[in-house]
Amino acid sequence: METRIFENTIEDLTAAAELIKHGETVIFPTETVYGLGANALDETAVAKIFEAKGRPSDNPLIVHVADFSKVQEIVAEIPENAKVLAEKFWPGPLTIIFKKKSIIPNGVSAGLETVGIRIPENKIAREFLNQCGVPVAAPSANVSGKPSPTTFDHVFEDMNGRVSGIIRGGECSVGLESTVLDMTTEIPTVLRPGGVSLEQLKEVLGEVLISSEVKKDDIPKAPGMKYKHYSPKASVYILKGNAKEMLEFVTKRSAFGKVAFLGFDEMKDNLPNGVEFISLGSGENPTDAAQRLFDCLRECDKRGVREAYAPEIPDCGLWRAVKNRIYKAAAGRLLDARSAKSVLFVCTGNTCRSPMAEGIFNSLGKNGVASSAGLCVMASEGAEKNAVEAVKRWNIDLKNHIPMQISQEMFDSADIVIVMTMSHKMTLPDNEKVFILKELAGEYGDVADPYGGDILLYKSCADELKALIEKIDI
Ligand code: TXA
Ligand code: MG
């Protein structure tokens, strides 16, 4: 599909609004993130949003309007305290959940009886929504799972060719999505922290709850919360500790591939060579961190980073929203920098046992990060097909594994080197940090090589590795 680019002129915004009226999709800037809009009253148009994003349709959309008078047309009732909220925070980065009228199609509410509404503050957004005349349903304009777009370049990268139009705006001033507040519950509940803080809401409403993270199998209140979000290709980890401790751990990891430290400017003194620094701004300034975060996550991909480390974030004000997004990007992986171990699994060819062990270790939420290498590497790419298959059932993806020959640098940087057999141990220098996996797990013997075997053999090897790695005390 050809995507038209619109500028911030009355003629262009009118033309973009015409596309919406004709059931097409248009991306527009807001102060939070760019939104991928379509006419909220037109089920067919709304379906195009899900298609463009590749988004599961059980996730409801926020409806954007230009002014408060439009809200009455789409919601069943407006509680008194919601009017006070609207007065104080609209236009702005707050989405309020109301009981919906039937005029809102199921495609927007994903079958819920409620609808989320927001009046954005961004001038281009407001002019565009005014011209549209209809309510505009819009999720963040990223491909599902990727960080939300906060610049025109992000949008263009993800969505050119997938939507009918994009309105060019500057950088989004808030940089994180709106606070989602459910006003249909007895006590108002924050479903997603954002640009308006819990403290600000409490000032107006008194008691406000904050919904705890959704467990995997629960039916989530904000369905968007159950998906892994904001993820760059790199594995993201949160580090607890002071700057020195964090950098020490990150440095150790840099022997195994490109690593980035997503840190505050105050922490970058003594940054070692080989560690990419990606700045979240000053640690004193949550506004800056919020505004930069998604760009920082995208920057990891641009620089080809394999592992990215971020510091712990405080639990107050706007920091809460920053913390929520970083933790999601990290899928909850939290390490204690003081005691975290850099682990190196070693086998013969680094295509079967050690890559499976690496993937298993990293999936278990232990206080460490693992890599793997081989003593005699012949293959140049990929783990064995059956090894990839054997760990897929645990959501471990070895498709992009690159076999690596062990080097002195890797050996030296690892806190602990774990081999599969006695003969591997004999090949390595006699060093007290080298252990045979079974010995470390309190057992005796080798983990046999499944190389050349069928999938059943690989699966039983993977089961064996998993049981052993679960037992080791890291
Ligand atoms: O700042 C924002 O909110 C941006 C801009 C474009 O307005 N939009 C945005 O939309 O972030 P989206 O779809 O990426 O995230 C909306 C979140 C999702 O987690 C969704 O599950 C939740 O809000 N949500 C929407 N309607 C809901 C409803 N009726 N009940 C509960 N949660 C809802
Ligand atoms: Mg989103």
Side-chain angles (χ1 to χ4, degrees), residues 32 55 59 62 64 97 114 118 139-140 177-178 192 221 224:
T32 58
R55 167 165 168 155
N59 199 356
I62 293 171
H64 300 71
I97 312 267
T114 55
R118 182 161 98 84
S140 50
E177 304 88 341
S178 60
R192 178 177 73 184
K221 196 79 210 288

Side-chain angles (χ1 to χ4, degrees), residues 207-366:
E207 194 179 5
V208 180
L209 300 177
I210 185 150
S211 138
S212 55
E213 284 299 303
V214 185
K215 287 191 216 79
K216 225 169 157 194
D217 301 322
D218 286 354
I219 296 178
K221 196 79 210 288
M225 297 198 302
K226 77 179 171 184
Y227 301 105
K228 189 175 172 207
H229 255 111
Y230 317 116
S231 337
K233 291 198 189 86
S235 305
V236 181
Y237 295 88
I238 316 292
L239 283 176
K240 260 195 332 211
N242 64 35
K244 184 166 167 282
E245 293 157 345
M246 287 190 262
L247 285 175
E248 255 166 37
F249 184 73
V250 175
T251 308
K252 281 191 246 171
R253 294 301 306 156
S254 67
F256 302 99
K258 199 178 258 194
V259 298
F261 184 54
L262 262 64
F264 297 113
D265 291 339
E266 296 87 339
M267 297 172 170
K268 76 174 171 212
D269 289 348
N270 309 319
L271 187 78
N273 283 338
V275 174
E276 304 274 325
F277 183 76
I278 301 180
S279 171
L280 289 168
S282 159
E284 303 287 311
N285 186 354
T287 315
D288 233 18
Q291 216 239 333
R292 287 169 185 228
L293 178 63
F294 288 147
D295 190 56
C296 289
L297 292 174
R298 283 175 183 253
E299 184 65 24
C300 288
D301 281 352
K302 277 201 201 128
R303 299 197 199 176
V305 167
R306 270 170 59 104
E307 287 164 22
Y309 294 88
E312 264 206 308
I313 305 289
D315 230 340
C316 56
L318 182 59
W319 284 119
R320 203 177 269 113
V322 176
K323 175 174 179 172
N324 170 273
R325 304 311 190 272
I326 299 192
Y327 272 59
K328 286 220 166 137
R333 284 177 295 220
L334 183 70
L335 302 172
D336 184 340
R338 277 159 296 215
S339 52
K341 295 275 182 291
S342 175
V343 179
L344 178 61
F345 285 100
V346 175
C347 68
T348 312
N350 192 219
T351 59
C352 309
R353 286 166 293 179
S354 61
M356 288 197 288
E358 171 190 337
I360 291 166
F361 182 95
N362 288 335
S363 74
L364 291 178
K366 290 183 169 268

Side-chain angles (χ1 to χ4, degrees), residues 28 30 35 40 62-66 95 116-120 129 134-139:
F28 59 102
T30 84
I62 293 171
V63 173
H64 300 71
V65 293
T95 295
I117 302 194
R118 182 161 98 84
I119 303 180
L129 290 170
V134 291
V136 173

